[in-house]
Amino acid sequence: DHLSLMASILNPNVTIEDDRTGLDIETIRRAVLDNLFYIQGKFPAIATKHDFYMALAYTVRDRLLQRWLNSVQTNLKKDVKSVAYLSAEFLVGPHLGNNLINLDIYQQVEQAIKESGLNLQELIDTEEEPGLGNGGLGRLAACYLDSLSSLEIPAIGYGIRYEFGIFDQHIQDGWQVEITDKWLQYGNPWEIARPESSVMVNFGGRTEAYTDDHGAFRVRWIPEYVVKGIPYDTPILGYKVNTANTLRLWRSEACESFNFERFNQGDYYGAVDSKVHSENLCKVLYPNDEPIQGKELRLQQQYFFVCCSLQDMIRTHLIENSSLDNFDQLWAIQLNDTHPAVAVAELMRLLVDVHHYEWEPAWQITENTFGYTNHTLLPEALEKWPLSIFGRLLPRLLEIIYEINNRFLERVRIKFPDNGSKMSSLSIIDESDDKYVRMANLACIGSHRINGVAQLHSELLKETILHDFYALFPEKFTNVTNGVTPRRWMVLSNPRLTELITQKIGNRWINHLDELKQLEQFVDDASFRSQWRQVKQEVKQDLAKYIEKKVGIVVNPASLFDVQVKRIHEYKRQHLNVLHIITLYNRLKHNPNLDIPPRTFIFGGKAAPGYFMAKRIIKLITSVGDVINNDPDLKDRLKVVFLPDYNVTLGQRVYPAADLSEQISTAGKEASGTGNMKFSLNGALTIGTLDGANVEIREEVGAENFFLFGLTTPQVAEVKSHGYYPRGHYDSNEELRGVLDLISCGFFSRGNRELLQPIVDNLLYDDPYLLLADYQSYINSQEEVSEAYKDQERWSRMSILNVARMGKFSSDRSIQEYCDNIWKVQPVSIKLQAYNQENA
Ligand code: B1N
């Protein structure tokens, strides 16, 4: 219009749109063909779907570069605090669709692609997702990056650019088979390498004391070898804002100059060998969800990315600041679990050894800078490194940890004199049998805030594993309940429901999720409820087609879709779900006229490759499915599907189609869960225990809209304290006995009695996660589910109310809490300047 035209003539800072930035349909269409030719080197006639995907990806990237570079530039120059989110995992999921949503150009691009005779959804589905995480923890980091940008907070995510992410899962003969994930093999259009910002990282060797020119006592680290870290940057655009923060992932390479000596001596193989070793460092993501393995390579990975990231922050800081005195005023560093906790010691090393700070001021800066998020109470998941490995790999860091520990224990001694047990539980060094470095203790001591990820979890932290730290510094402890981004987990993944909701209440809910509350006014509107059911039905039909295509099982889209998707772990109790399935099977076999709604049980999830029991649980699910799906007596009333290779992309298909969300972990074991939020946001009802964020979800949606069962955390402790005897439940519960006996006798394993017996034995003689204790309560609750589902009007009411009351679980709310209570950071709005008018 006239005014903005005038403004653009008068204001030289207004972007002038061209072939690389223009957002009209015709420009986009031409830009895709242009990129197809000049980047992919293809004519349309010979281009593959992947070529078109790449051409479109570059077209979209062009359109966010302006925002990205302006954001980076602004953050460099402004004296405002930035967040550095340190995480060994970022499970970002495919970028294309999400960037179209956040750029708010989905419709134009869809049209432009259509005019080229292509289908946007197909191109979106062509993208290989970067599987740089295991599960909830990595996905949380990704949701948080989306919210940081959407809230216009200056931020950077630091992590590792694994060459192989989480393995691809195939199912062969009902077993999991792992295939390496070659996510980079066809190129990654979303990243830009920045070799000019490479940094060096020391490993091994020894330390040496010396006196500097001013007579000060100092230490230097003479490493055995040096690895180069090269940053790869990916833009993370916020929703309908100009802020595009950076995800900076480090790749390792040999530092060429280092082994030149060897090379010159003729040891060509030795020189190349060290190159191979350095490049191995970030080859592969460790595929363990919770129990961690104390492998040396993993410690190398952790130190590598932490060291690179801290050097990077310091370098950036010193561009506009003359010293590091105000480092803590311009940086808030969050430790995503203990995986990056060595950062506490590394920042001390950089301040004291490299920048020559005295210990005390350096410690003040360090403690003010860090925050630590704990994600688990499972004792086997608490990271500890054998002292021998730690000292050999990071000799200087170990010295610094000893110094931190000595000074810390001195303070403890003053507060709790003569309390040896307190001292040994608080010490960073575990001296029980073998010696270990305890990373959670280092993280607690070096951070000014410590948080759990759901209210219950944060309370349990204070009562159990971090009890002694809580007694020492209660003011450090806080809670931030997890959240998920509604952009990916609703707008992108469930366009039909997005459309229906937006028709009713407008679109402000997308970044103000509390506004979903307004849906409550339509809960009594029968025609709205029928539209609501219609949407769910269509989404279920899509998933049914996908299931048939992928695993060849025909499922009834009108049946109740009962879904459990998450990593396979005994504490998550996928096998309790199976006990219910077999219970229904037995009931239907004995009473074919039983009036229960047909159900489709859908599972998905990966097992850690070395986790024996988890792999058996997958075999149990697929075996039970083989029998049930092919039993003509059932007349298709029950189906059991195991969807292979559960990942972000598949999650986007599954959450919208679920009727029932299974959140059935043993109370006190699941720190939060985030899948629980995604299901409920998409209108599924939850059957769940009082665990993790389930407690808060139930509080929000109302007890009457949630299927609760099972022991509470104190009851679990109570049962265990009296010597839990699982056999007793088997002896006294006939139906449970029938279920376990059916597994034992080889009914689901073609007569093979050994195959599934380890699961049965574990339940009868140990049952650490109390499946048998919770069995009856679960079955009863499932009966209520079936009753509720029979009354479709009632079910729709409950479903609408679940969605309407999910406002709290936006990651925007979580991030706002981190900003206010932990990081003390403010938003900065980004002004756009054309690349050819400034900074040129
Ligand atoms: O972190 C999620 C929570 O919602 C889940 O409840 C929690 O289980 C999950 C070692 C972990 N805790 N610990 C891990 C991941 C990888 C690894 O190598 C531990 N993941 C969680 C987000 O808060």
Side-chain angles (χ1 to χ4, degrees), residues 613-744:
M613 205 52 104
K615 290 186 138 180
R616 287 282 145 143
I617 291 173
I618 293 178
K619 182 63 177 168
L620 172 69
I621 296 167
T622 54
S623 302
V624 169
D626 280 347
V627 170
I628 291 186
N629 298 341
N630 298 305
D631 187 330
D633 292 355
L634 286 185
K635 305 204 167 61
D636 292 338
R637 290 162 73 188
L638 301 181
K639 285 282 160 80
V640 182
V641 175
F642 189 94
L643 283 176
D645 204 32
Y646 180 65
N647 57 11
V648 174
T649 309
L650 187 49
Q652 289 174 199
R653 288 183 185 273
V654 167
Y655 294 116
D659 294 305
L660 187 66
S661 156
E662 298 272 352
Q663 306 301 334
I664 61 179
S665 52
T666 318
K669 298 292 178 191
E670 188 72 89
S672 164
T674 43
N676 46 6
M677 302 166 187
K678 295 165 195 168
F679 277 113
S680 203
L681 179 63
N682 282 279
L685 306 187
T686 304
I687 182 163
T689 50
L690 284 179
D691 200 14
N694 297 352
V695 177
E696 291 157 75
I697 291 175
R698 178 166 173 268
E699 226 165 74
E700 293 292 306
V701 304
E704 67 286 6
N705 300 306
F706 187 105
F707 299 98
L708 179 68
F709 77 97
L711 299 173
T712 62
T713 306
Q715 288 167 341
V716 166
E718 166 84 6
V719 166
K720 290 209 163 179
S721 73
H722 294 137
Y724 174 49
Y725 180 60
R727 241 342 262 239
H729 293 284
Y730 173 89
D731 293 335
S732 65
N733 189 327
E734 193 184 327
E735 198 166 31
L736 171 61
R737 197 159 61 240
V739 169
L740 291 173
D741 287 349
L742 201 59
I743 301 174
S744 284

Side-chain angles (χ1 to χ4, degrees), residues 89 136-137 288-290 292 298 339 375 482 571 670-673:
E89 306 187 5
L137 171 139
N288 300 63
D289 207 33
E290 295 214 12
I292 56 111
R298 179 158 161 120
H339 318 147
H375 294 266
N482 285 169
Y571 86 76
E670 188 72 89
S672 164

Side-chain angles (χ1 to χ4, degrees), residues 584-634:
L584 288 187
Y585 177 72
N586 283 342
R587 286 184 184 176
L588 282 168
K589 288 293 265 192
H590 293 133
N591 179 7
N593 298 321
L594 193 66
D595 178 26
I596 53 166
R599 284 209 203 200
T600 301
F601 297 91
I602 299 168
F603 292 87
K606 294 173 184 176
Y611 189 170
F612 172 85
M613 205 52 104
K615 290 186 138 180
R616 287 282 145 143
I617 291 173
I618 293 178
K619 182 63 177 168
L620 172 69
I621 296 167
T622 54
S623 302
V624 169
D626 280 347
V627 170
I628 291 186
N629 298 341
N630 298 305
D631 187 330
D633 292 355
L634 286 185

Side-chain angles (χ1 to χ4, degrees), residues 692-835:
N694 297 352
V695 177
E696 291 157 75
I697 291 175
R698 178 166 173 268
E699 226 165 74
E700 293 292 306
V701 304
E704 67 286 6
N705 300 306
F706 187 105
F707 299 98
L708 179 68
F709 77 97
L711 299 173
T712 62
T713 306
Q715 288 167 341
V716 166
E718 166 84 6
V719 166
K720 290 209 163 179
S721 73
H722 294 137
Y724 174 49
Y725 180 60
R727 241 342 262 239
H729 293 284
Y730 173 89
D731 293 335
S732 65
N733 189 327
E734 193 184 327
E735 198 166 31
L736 171 61
R737 197 159 61 240
V739 169
L740 291 173
D741 287 349
L742 201 59
I743 301 174
S744 284
C745 76
F747 183 80
F748 298 108
S749 39
R750 301 190 188 118
N752 182 340
R753 289 156 164 261
E754 265 89 74
L755 196 65
L756 303 172
Q757 196 57 31
I759 297 175
V760 177
D761 284 342
N762 183 272
L763 294 180
L764 287 179
Y765 304 110
D766 189 9
D767 195 16
Y769 299 105
L770 281 76
L771 279 79
L772 302 198
D774 273 346
Y775 170 79
Q776 195 55 51
S777 168
Y778 181 55
I779 298 296
N780 296 345
S781 186
Q782 286 284 17
E783 279 173 18
E784 287 174 35
V785 170
S786 288
E787 278 313 301
Y789 196 74
K790 282 190 210 160
D791 180 350
Q792 283 286 299
E793 293 296 345
R794 175 176 166 219
W795 188 276
S796 302
R797 277 202 174 78
M798 294 170 78
S799 168
I800 293 166
L801 290 177
N802 262 262
V803 176
R805 297 172 179 176
M806 282 305 291
K808 172 172 175 184
F809 302 99
S810 169
S811 46
D812 297 343
R813 186 271 312 149
S814 311
I815 285 298
Q816 194 59 58
E817 290 182 10
Y818 278 100
C819 289
D820 296 343
N821 306 331
I822 300 180
W823 302 329
K824 315 283 186 203
V825 295
Q826 306 287 330
V828 173
S829 71
I830 303 297
K831 309 272 176 298
L832 288 189
Q833 294 184 322
Y835 73 92

Side-chain angles (χ1 to χ4, degrees), residues 306-318:
V306 158
C307 177
C308 291
S309 308
L310 286 172
Q311 289 187 63
D312 196 53
M313 283 177 246
I314 288 177
R315 186 185 51 78
T316 316
H317 184 90
L318 292 176

